[in-house]
Amino acid sequence: MRGKNLILVFVVYLMIGGLTACNGIDTGKQVPMKEKKNVAMDYKVNKTETEWMAQLGENAFEVLRKKGTERPFTSEYETFWDSGVYICKGCGEELFSSATKFDAGCGWPSFYQSIDKSKVKEILDNSHGMGRVEVVCSNCGGHLGHVFNDGYNQPTGLRYCINGLSLGFIKKQ
Ligand SMILES: [Zn+2]
């Protein structure tokens, strides 16, 4: 009896495996199952890694989707002071205002607050043995940078240290 059950379980397992494999066959829009698993489902904007790569290009993909960090003092926005709104390069959501941007001298565009608290999600990040707080776009989950409480002399005391590669800019008066 037990042996029969085991065989049944095994057959069902094979069937599920077979179906899953079918889903992975490239039929245009379908994507391999392996890739689907990596898509975070708790964000409004969901794309596969292939789609993100095609949209963002290698450098922005590395930051936004792989939590990379751009080299300091390399961003076009690091010493850029035009009036306007900084948007997420992944999904276009408005994230930071130029009115809250300040020169932290750290090598990355820095802001003392986001446009609205709902726009960015803050997540405890213990990677590299540091208890940092990661900042991601609430709309697409794209990695933006980290927030530190060393925004001395700033109204909030915070420093949102953001990778310029994760941002776009819309000029506004
Ligand atoms: Zn986004």
Side-chain angles (χ1 to χ4, degrees), residues 88 91 137 140:
C88 171
C91 69
C137 170
C140 71

Side-chain angles (χ1 to χ4, degrees), residues 23-165:
N23 279 340
I25 291 167
D26 185 14
T27 52
K29 283 210 156 181
Q30 274 189 339
V31 292
M33 287 305 283
K34 255 189 187 169
E35 220 178 332
K36 266 188 180 168
K37 273 186 193 164
N38 292 331
V39 177
M41 297 309 287
D42 50 347
Y43 296 104
K44 273 187 220 154
V45 177
N46 283 293
K47 294 182 183 183
T48 65
E49 299 221 329
T50 309
E51 288 169 331
W52 281 122
M53 178 61 108
Q55 179 196 323
L56 298 169
E58 206 175 317
N59 292 337
F61 176 84
E62 183 59 31
V63 171
L64 279 162
R65 307 313 308 178
K66 293 292 173 191
K67 304 186 189 297
T69 302
E70 71 192 11
R71 280 186 299 123
F73 303 103
T74 58
S75 172
E76 57 180 316
Y77 299 130
E78 202 250 324
T79 52
F80 176 83
W81 306 103
D82 285 7
S83 294
V85 167
Y86 290 85
I87 60 170
C88 171
K89 198 179 259 178
C91 69
E93 188 79 343
E94 297 191 348
L95 301 176
F96 298 96
S97 163
S98 62
T100 63
K101 190 172 188 292
F102 67 101
D103 186 4
C106 63
W108 292 276
S110 301
F111 306 84
Y112 63 76
Q113 68 183 25
S114 57
I115 278 185
D116 187 289
K117 275 198 169 161
S118 67
K119 301 282 187 183
V120 298
K121 196 169 162 185
E122 296 176 10
I123 302 164
L124 190 62
D125 169 16
N126 281 318
S127 66
H128 307 290
M130 294 183 269
R132 296 182 297 175
V133 177
E134 182 194 5
V135 182
V136 305
C137 170
S138 298
N139 200 41
C140 71
H143 172 80
L144 304 170
H146 290 87
V147 58
F148 302 94
N149 57 7
D150 61 3
Y152 311 118
N153 304 321
Q154 300 307 316
T156 58
L158 298 173
R159 173 173 61 98
Y160 286 83
C161 183
I162 305 300
N163 291 283
L165 280 169

